[in-house]
Amino acid sequence: MTGYKDEQGEIRYEIDVYYVSKSNLGVGQRVGDFNDFSFLAVEHFEDFISQVEELSLTPEELDRIKEKREKEIDASLTKLNNDIYQNEKGLGENDRVYLVAAAIIATIGIPGKVAPLEKSDLKSSNERGWRDGDILVRKIESFLEEKALPKEKKEMILRTLSNTLLTENINKVHSGETQLKRVFTKIVDDLGIYYKIGLTTDFTGKLFNEMYSWLGFTQDKLNDVVLTPSYVATLLAKLARVNKDSYVWDFATGSAGLLVAAMNEMLIDAKNSIDSPQELREKEAQIKAEQLLGLELLSNVYMLAILNMILMGDGSSNILNKDSLTDFDGKYGFGKTDHKFPADAFILNPPYSANGNGMNFVERALNMMEKGYAAIIIQNSAGSGKAREINRRILQNNTLLASIKMPLDLFIGKSSVQTNIYVFKVGEPHEKDETVKFIDFSNDGYTRTNRKKASNNLKDTGNARGRYAELVNLVRFGKKKLNIFSEKEYYEGTINPKNGADWNQSAPIDTKPTLDDFKKTVSDYLAWEVSNLLKRQNKEDDTLGK
């Protein structure tokens, strides 16, 4: 820290924090921007140390660690699923999901407030009030109490989990142990390390993909429940221009993957733009409590969303178990229940079996917004006729900014539908001369496989990071950001706002011949003529020779 007194006697100062160590060869790495010393306070010090520790790892090293962890997580989740399915009788699909949720909540703990539940804390007792289920429920209740969840939300979670945790069969003692303790032990042994290390890997995405499969939705003939890959969820958040001050909602939340991605973008922006740790902490709390809202109708999937948000930082306050089309009035579900949620960013992966492939969800949400941006991923037939009438109505008060054709194998192993991302500016009618950016993102730089024994089913084989970053820039700033993409992949055109079925366009093919085309044609023709003459000459020579 250095400073001085100005002419008025006011102290002017600057603070810079550097990390100097053998690991960085004494060069010194700048830790971050700070305008006071609150980062040294007890409540912020662990975060500061974590920030320092991250400096010693390069992106390449972090990528290697992440890839290693993901392989381990895949193996552990598969092992856990097979073990419970084959060896634990009497547990339905929902029971398995709720047991995992309960075990994780009970063993996360809150430093200095709620001690994590240990395997040894479950005594497999028959004593009423001290059964393993009773102990788990009390620990979960303590955790939720300290998280300051709204009363109705806390009661709903406890009621849902208790229906599984307090059943008689799961608490019966056989050979000195209850089924509940046995399953709890398996969950902690197989998964505990991953959700206790800070969730820096894509643990929750993999966990919820696995638990979705437990619920049996993957066999649903409608293919309605398909999780959005985490990198696509992040793309949607960026396309919707999410920042620390955004108010983001999702009308078909699923396991809250899109909201988690949006929350991460908001927290990153806050961290990059707020220098005071105290102010940053307050902003992070506001983001999680007030700036995210999700709606999910299916109760078992809703529980996954709650757990996901709790694991990723507890932005679950306004995850609502409601039908967004018929049972939602646009207001906060908890806390400020008399206030309208001031949404200015909308992200969505709707159920494609819904009206207009799910465009009815888009219309509903945009009609409740006054400004902002929206990014949705949807079956592309929604833009070529399946949702014609809905699309016309949407364009009466919203502008289509971009139509992005996504890779056909994006949801490989789950669904094979062709999808597009549509990006809107909210609150401005679409004019017929409005420029729309049509982008063919069929080649997103990733190679995907669906091999169960593959070490990694998603590989960056074509500068995927660069292509995703350029895609966001193209949508926002236009052709001047064209670098990696070819001109065949990027096209600026127009749509008829009264059509509703012309949203999927591609760059027109130029059929006008150039001088080079003419020269090549003439050259090819002359070569063909010469070849024929030579063949005829050879035949005549052969005839004369005979």
Side-chain angles (χ1 to χ4, degrees):
M1 176 178 178
T2 185
Y4 63 94
K5 283 187 178 181
D6 62 17
E7 292 84 355
Q8 285 76 39
E10 292 287 329
I11 295 176
R12 307 290 181 184
Y13 67 89
E14 290 183 4
I15 297 173
D16 274 307
V17 182
Y18 287 84
Y19 174 62
V20 183
S21 160
K22 289 181 180 178
S23 64
N24 58 30
L25 305 178
V27 173
Q29 292 171 278
R30 197 162 185 272
V31 178
D33 294 311
F34 303 89
N35 58 17
D36 61 29
F37 284 109
S38 62
F39 65 90
L40 295 173
V42 173
E43 63 267 31
H44 303 308
F45 193 69
E46 283 190 15
D47 291 339
F48 171 70
I49 293 301
S50 297
Q51 194 175 349
V52 170
E53 289 174 345
E54 288 175 1
L55 295 174
S56 61
L57 296 172
T58 66
E60 292 76 18
E61 288 170 329
L62 286 170
D63 282 345
R64 283 197 294 271
I65 293 170
K66 181 179 179 181
E67 184 176 346
K68 180 174 179 288
R69 286 295 190 200
E70 286 180 347
K71 291 177 185 177
E72 294 171 355
I73 290 169
D74 280 336
S76 296
L77 285 168
T78 301
K79 176 177 178 290
L80 176 65
N81 184 32
N82 290 337
D83 196 352
I84 295 178
Y85 181 76
Q86 293 174 9
N87 301 319
E88 300 300 338
K89 307 304 178 186
L91 295 178
E93 295 166 344
N94 289 350
D95 290 327
R96 279 187 280 165
V97 171
Y98 296 153
L99 284 170
V100 172
I104 292 175
I105 292 174
T107 52
I108 290 177
I110 299 175
K113 295 180 178 178
V114 180
L117 187 70
E118 303 292 340
K119 292 180 286 186
S120 58
D121 293 331
L122 300 183
K123 308 295 185 183
S124 295
S125 168
N126 282 319
E127 183 180 348
R128 185 63 59 178
W130 290 98
R131 299 175 305 167
D132 290 339
D134 299 322
I135 295 170
L136 257 169
V137 169
R138 280 199 295 272
K139 181 62 69 174
I140 293 168
E141 187 172 13
S142 296
F143 177 88
L144 297 177
E145 194 68 42
E146 286 296 336
K147 283 290 185 180
L149 287 184
K151 181 182 177 184
E152 304 97 312
K153 174 67 62 68
K154 185 183 75 171
E155 290 176 349
M156 186 280 303
I157 296 173
L158 284 171
R159 184 169 59 250
T160 302
L161 296 180
S162 294
N163 286 338
T164 294
L165 296 175
L166 299 181
T167 55
E168 186 175 348
N169 285 340
I170 204 171
N171 283 284
K172 275 185 180 176
V173 180
H174 295 284
S175 303
E177 186 178 54
T178 64
Q179 184 183 40
L180 179 53
K181 180 172 183 178
R182 191 165 59 248
V183 172
F184 177 84
T185 299
K186 290 173 182 175
I187 294 168
V188 173
D189 287 348
D190 287 349
L191 303 180
I193 182 175
Y194 306 115
Y195 60 77
K196 291 181 180 180
I197 60 174
L199 298 168
T200 53
T201 65
D202 189 22
F203 170 75
T204 53
K206 290 182 176 294
L207 174 65
F208 293 109
N209 266 308
E210 182 67 30
M211 290 203 289
Y212 252 55
S213 71
W214 295 0
L215 291 173
F217 289 125
T218 49
Q219 283 75 45
D220 193 305
K221 64 181 180 180
L222 298 174
N223 262 328
D224 261 9
V225 184
V226 180
L227 287 185
T228 312
S230 59
Y231 57 95
V232 177
T234 299
L235 172 65
L236 291 175
K238 289 179 182 292
L239 291 172
R241 307 191 189 185
V242 168
N243 60 53
K244 66 179 173 58
D245 298 317
S246 297
Y247 284 79
V248 187
W249 61 9
D250 177 354
F251 274 36
T253 296
S255 66
L258 299 187
L259 287 181
V260 167
M263 182 173 72
N264 286 339
E265 289 298 305
M266 296 162 81
L267 295 175
I268 289 169
D269 183 47
K271 187 176 181 180
N272 290 339
S273 57
I274 298 175
D275 295 336
S276 165
Q278 185 61 40
E279 185 183 340
L280 176 61
R281 181 65 60 87
E282 291 169 359
K283 183 59 177 176
E284 289 173 339
Q286 182 186 359
I287 287 170
K288 295 171 185 177
E290 298 180 9
Q291 293 178 225
L292 298 157
L293 187 146
L295 297 144
E296 175 53 49
L297 179 60
L298 301 173
S299 58
N300 42 16
V301 178
Y302 172 68
M303 275 304 300
L304 294 188
I306 295 290
L307 176 59
N308 198 357
M309 294 301 279
I310 286 175
L311 279 171
M312 295 304 292
D314 197 17
S316 67
S317 294
N318 282 285
I319 306 290
L320 314 178
N321 189 197
K322 288 186 175 183
D323 186 331
S324 54
L325 297 176
T326 61
D327 192 29
F328 177 57
D329 59 4
K331 294 181 180 178
Y332 281 93
F334 300 96
K336 306 188 210 175
T337 51
D338 293 332
H339 291 75
K340 180 182 177 183
F341 184 80
D344 56 15
F346 175 55
I347 47 181
L348 179 76
N349 179 6
Y352 300 158
S353 67
N355 191 13
N357 287 146
M359 287 301 292
N360 54 341
F361 286 87
V362 180
E363 181 181 22
R364 173 81 170 162
L366 298 189
N367 282 345
M368 299 173 106
M369 298 171 66
E370 296 177 0
K371 63 177 182 176
Y373 296 87
I376 64 158
I377 184 166
I378 197 165
Q379 194 168 343
N380 81 330
S381 55
S384 58
K386 194 72 179 286
R388 184 189 294 266
E389 295 302 323
I390 297 174
N391 292 349
R392 286 174 180 164
R393 294 196 297 268
I394 286 173
L395 294 180
Q396 289 174 9
N397 198 43
N398 305 281
T399 301
L400 180 66
L401 297 179
S403 171
I404 304 163
K405 182 181 179 181
M406 297 301 286
L408 183 59
D409 61 354
L410 191 67
F411 299 103
I412 190 168
K414 308 289 184 184
S415 175
S416 59
V417 298
Q418 176 64 61
T419 56
N420 270 45
I421 289 176
Y422 299 123
V423 184
F424 301 91
K425 184 173 185 180
V426 180
E428 291 187 10
H430 191 106
E431 302 293 340
K432 63 183 178 60
D433 294 325
E434 196 81 48
T435 297
V436 181
K437 293 146 186 149
F438 297 97
I439 304 172
D440 185 349
F441 201 44
S442 301
N443 172 21
D444 69 344
Y446 284 121
T447 298
R448 300 168 186 82
T449 60
N450 191 32
R451 300 193 305 271
K452 290 186 177 179
K453 294 185 179 179
S455 61
N456 187 359
N457 282 327
L458 182 73
K459 294 188 185 231
D460 185 342
T461 55
N463 191 14
R465 288 186 183 181
R467 292 182 73 82
Y468 273 79
E470 184 167 313
L471 177 65
V472 174
N473 284 331
L474 285 171
V475 171
R476 185 157 190 177
F477 303 113
K479 193 172 184 177
K480 62 185 176 183
K481 292 296 183 180
L482 201 61
N483 181 29
I484 302 171
F485 284 73
S486 71
E487 295 204 3
K488 290 181 180 178
E489 294 173 309
Y490 179 83
Y491 163 61
E492 293 185 351
T494 60
I495 62 171
N496 179 358
K498 297 189 181 203
N499 185 322
D502 55 353
W503 291 12
N504 303 331
Q505 298 182 29
S506 56
I509 299 172
D510 186 3
T511 57
K512 180 181 178 182
T514 64
L515 180 60
D516 286 339
D517 292 330
F518 176 73
K519 288 178 178 179
K520 185 176 186 306
T521 301
V522 171
S523 174
D524 289 344
Y525 175 75
L526 289 174
W528 176 78
E529 279 283 17
V530 169
S531 175
N532 282 344
L533 284 170
L534 289 172
K535 286 177 183 176
R536 285 199 298 271
Q537 183 67 48
N538 288 335
K539 284 182 180 179
E540 289 173 3
D541 290 346
D542 289 344
T543 303
L544 289 171
K546 291 178 181 178

